[in-house]
Amino acid sequence: IELMPNYSAPYRELGFVLYQELRQQEAIANLDRAAKLNPDDPVTYRYMGATWAVLGDWSKAADAFRKALLLYP
């Protein structure tokens, strides 16, 4: 991230690691950054949907999963 701050994949993967560590708010922050850098990456939205689901925000989870499916049916 430090070397390539405008590359989305490190933010996406850090978000996923934070999700696995149950650090959901930090995960969302990194996944949001990844989505801003690359809005066409369905994996970012899949991870985002899972994270929002753990947080209990079903509306945001559904929106993220829907976006992932639109990008990669």
Side-chain angles (χ1 to χ4, degrees), residues 28 48-65:
I28 287 294
M48 200 177 287
T51 305
W52 282 119
V54 168
L55 288 169
D57 193 327
W58 305 111
S59 176
K60 288 183 180 178
D63 289 344
F65 285 131

Side-chain angles (χ1 to χ4, degrees), residues 2-65:
E2 196 172 297
L3 294 175
M4 298 177 75
N6 294 320
Y7 183 54
S8 69
Y11 291 101
R12 180 191 67 215
E13 295 308 312
L14 177 57
F16 184 65
V17 168
L18 291 166
Y19 159 80
Q20 291 177 315
E21 292 180 351
L22 303 178
R23 295 164 59 185
Q24 309 311 336
Q25 294 299 332
E26 292 171 86
I28 287 294
N30 281 278
L31 293 167
D32 279 339
R33 176 75 173 151
K36 286 181 176 104
L37 291 170
N38 183 4
D40 297 324
D41 179 14
V43 176
T44 297
Y45 295 103
R46 188 175 70 206
Y47 292 169
M48 200 177 287
T51 305
W52 282 119
V54 168
L55 288 169
D57 193 327
W58 305 111
S59 176
K60 288 183 180 178
D63 289 344
F65 285 131

